[in-house]
């Protein structure tokens, strides 16, 4: 089976090859650094299937090209699938698989890392101490114990975040369109989205990007938030209207912003751009604030998660080949 891998990095190659060798599977991977677009789809012309990541776009025209090459399967090596027109793929007889859960704890732990670093200003303290500056002025944090944390989306990652925060003694408010029985057995309380937004000291986003959740954090909701609120997004960039958030930071309504994802990350993240002029004024503005901490979509990036991603993606490809589709991984 020949599989073209788009947006591949050295670590993808390392983990996929290691797993292929471990199970002696007969898959011939063609690792391409290029992101999948209308222009790069041609790289898959000799493949039987493709393996893609979060910023590879499979709209109608890309799907049409892939179908014309005879490709019948798209394996996503991630959980979210907002970048794929799944309905259209299905109509065209193309199947799509994903990795529904690869160490949700990894993303949850990164969420907490952003929260803690912003609160205790570790990003500033690190630089100060490196320069023998031990002045504490400007590093004042708050005690997390008994702070109200609002968790939006209580699926696998949201639940793991709730579990960790309960260890800190936080009061947790949750919102989800489908309430979880596991959450109900804890001290966390479900409430409406608007009440969560109004009451929380920290708001953390763990729902998928859908037409309903796009710009869930917008001008109107920011207006209702507590003065000095902390917002954390490790889910998908478009959950936040970045321009609205910048306004909120300038007016001091938002006291802290932690992002692992960004609305326009597609043309930015996963590459070393340190010698380039970044042509995104909104992102550059975000970087100027002392109370904003951004990481480049690394929430998933642990040894354990990469092993699980390789294992499940390869299983999905082998299952497609055997015409065995398990519901948890196959979207169509
Ligand atoms: P999940 O499917 O287990 O949970 C998502 C939850 O969101 C579900 O409980 C669902 O009911 C809820 N939801 C759906 N629509 C909603 C809405 N309109 N309002 C409120 N809640 C809603 O997914 P998960 O594994 O917990 O992942 C959550 C998100 O994290 C993914 O969609 C993905 O975008 C993101 N993610 C990021 C990284 C990273 O590296 N930063 C890695 C993996 C996943």
């Amino acid at each position: 089976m020949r599989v073209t891998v788009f947006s591949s990095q050295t670590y993808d190659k390392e983990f996929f090859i290691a797993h292929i060798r471990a199970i002696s599977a007969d898959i011939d991977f063609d690792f391409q650094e290029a992101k999948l677009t209308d222009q790069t789809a041609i790289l898959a012309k000799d493949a039987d299937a493709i393996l893609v990541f979060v910023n590879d776009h499979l709209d109608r025209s890309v799907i049409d090209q892939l179908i014309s090459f005879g490709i019948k399967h798209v394996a996503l090596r991630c959980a979210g699938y907002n970048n794929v027109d799944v309905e259209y793929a299905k109509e065209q007889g193309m199947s799509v698989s994903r990795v529904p859960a690869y160490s949700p704890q990894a993303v949850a732990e990164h969420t907490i890392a952003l929260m803690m670093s912003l609160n205790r200003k570790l990003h500033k303290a690190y630089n100060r101490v490196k320069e023998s500056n031990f002045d504490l002025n400007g590093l004042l944090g708050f005690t997390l114990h008994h702070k109200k944390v609002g968790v939006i989306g209580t699926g696998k990652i949201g639940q793991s975040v709730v579990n960790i925060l309960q260890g800190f003694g936080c009061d947790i408010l949750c919102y989800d369109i489908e309430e979880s029985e596991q959450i109900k057995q804890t001290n966390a309380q479900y409430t409406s989205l608007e009440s969560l937004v109004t009451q929380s000291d920290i708001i953390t986003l763990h729902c998928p990007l859908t037409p309903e959740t796009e710009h869930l954090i917008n001008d109107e909701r920011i207006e209702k938030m507590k003065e000095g609120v902390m917002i954390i997004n490790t889910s998908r960039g478009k959950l936040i209207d970045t321009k609205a958030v910048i306004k909120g930071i300038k007016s001091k309504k938002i006291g802290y912003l932690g992002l692992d994802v960004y609305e326009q990350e597609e043309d930015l993240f996963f590459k070393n751009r340190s010698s380039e002029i970044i042509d995104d004024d909104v992102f550059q503005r975000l970087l100027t604030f002392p109370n904003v901490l951004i990481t480049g979509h690394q929430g998933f990036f642990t040894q354990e998660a990469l092993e699980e991603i390789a294992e499940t993606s390869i299983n999905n490809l082998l299952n497609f080949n055997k015409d065995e589709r398990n519901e948890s991984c196959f979207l169509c």
Side-chain angles (χ1 to χ4, degrees):
M1 187 182 198
R2 282 165 308 177
V3 179
T4 303
V5 186
F6 284 93
S7 302
S8 74
Q9 302 280 349
T10 323
Y11 47 83
D12 294 312
K13 200 168 175 174
E14 195 185 308
F15 281 84
F16 276 85
I17 297 287
H19 192 67
I20 281 287
R21 290 204 177 125
I23 63 166
S24 306
D26 189 16
I27 299 182
D28 178 12
F29 283 119
D30 171 25
F31 292 95
Q32 296 288 344
E33 267 184 49
K35 195 171 78 173
L36 176 59
T37 63
D38 253 337
Q39 287 70 42
T40 62
I42 189 76
L43 292 168
K45 71 176 188 327
D46 298 323
D48 301 304
I50 61 166
L51 182 61
V52 299
F53 198 45
V54 287
N55 292 325
D56 291 310
H57 261 283
L58 282 98
D59 55 16
R60 283 174 177 243
S61 96
V62 169
I63 292 171
D64 284 341
Q65 274 203 68
L66 297 172
I67 293 282
S68 77
F69 304 147
I71 291 171
K72 285 278 180 345
H73 185 66
V74 174
L76 285 147
R77 54 182 192 279
C78 54
Y81 50 89
N82 53 282
N83 51 329
V84 181
D85 189 338
V86 177
E87 277 312 303
Y88 187 66
K90 192 175 171 183
E91 273 170 43
Q92 301 306 309
M94 179 180 256
S95 81
V96 181
S97 64
R98 66 176 182 136
V99 184
Y102 46 92
S103 188
Q105 293 81 7
V107 185
E109 288 167 13
H110 191 72
T111 304
I112 304 297
L114 285 174
M115 245 176 233
M116 297 294 284
S117 303
L118 271 169
N119 172 19
R120 306 306 290 266
K121 301 169 178 68
L122 298 187
H123 52 306
K124 292 170 122 190
Y126 173 80
N127 288 326
R128 280 193 196 183
V129 172
K130 269 206 142 205
E131 298 201 351
S132 307
N133 174 359
F134 306 105
D135 183 4
L136 295 185
N137 285 297
L139 299 184
L140 191 66
F142 58 83
T143 306
L144 258 179
H145 189 77
H146 278 325
K147 287 293 173 300
K148 270 208 168 67
V149 184
V151 178
I152 301 180
T154 53
K156 293 175 286 296
I157 297 171
Q159 282 183 36
S160 180
V161 166
V162 169
N163 289 341
I164 299 172
L165 289 174
Q166 282 181 329
F168 282 110
C170 295
D171 299 331
I172 299 167
L173 295 173
C174 295
Y175 170 73
D176 197 307
I177 49 170
E178 280 179 46
E179 300 190 354
S180 138
E181 287 310 313
Q182 273 136 301
I183 291 282
K184 285 183 184 166
Q185 281 159 22
T186 70
N187 292 330
Q189 298 285 319
Y190 274 108
T191 184
S192 69
L193 178 58
E194 302 316 320
S195 127
L196 180 151
V197 161
T198 324
Q199 293 187 59
S200 301
D201 300 297
I202 300 174
I203 297 172
T204 183
L205 304 173
H206 302 289
C207 54
L209 175 64
T210 63
E212 292 72 42
T213 60
E214 184 166 346
H215 286 184
L216 185 132
I217 302 296
N218 52 23
D219 277 319
E220 204 184 315
R221 292 214 170 94
I222 293 170
E223 189 58 40
K224 292 180 187 157
M225 290 176 190
K226 275 188 169 175
E227 210 66 28
V229 64
M230 179 188 290
I231 300 175
I232 305 284
N233 187 9
T234 59
S235 204
R236 283 291 181 266
K238 283 199 171 78
L239 296 181
I240 288 184
D241 176 348
T242 316
K243 288 185 179 154
V245 155
I246 289 176
K247 254 196 277 169
I249 297 167
K250 284 165 80 178
S251 71
K252 304 203 173 62
K253 182 74 158 184
I254 298 171
Y256 311 80
L257 176 69
L259 301 179
D260 186 46
V261 287
Y262 166 62
E263 275 197 273
Q264 307 297 339
E265 71 176 55
E266 276 177 52
D267 299 322
L268 210 53
F269 285 5
F270 302 116
K271 288 252 160 68
N272 178 357
R273 302 193 190 278
S274 53
S275 308
E276 291 176 26
I277 306 295
I278 304 288
D279 187 24
D280 180 335
D281 292 350
V282 175
F283 188 76
Q284 292 301 92
R285 181 67 180 107
L286 276 180
L287 293 181
T288 65
F289 296 112
N291 52 352
V292 172
L293 183 53
I294 306 177
T295 51
H297 209 138
Q298 68 172 82
F300 71 100
F301 200 55
T302 65
Q303 171 88 22
E304 292 76 4
L306 289 191
E307 281 165 4
E308 283 175 45
I309 288 172
E311 184 179 340
T312 309
S313 303
I314 289 171
N315 270 346
N316 289 343
L317 287 162
L318 295 173
N319 283 341
F320 161 73
N321 224 13
K322 290 187 282 184
D323 213 14
E324 283 174 16
R325 298 171 191 195
N326 68 44
E327 270 184 27
S328 66
C329 294
F330 279 73
L331 299 164
C332 63

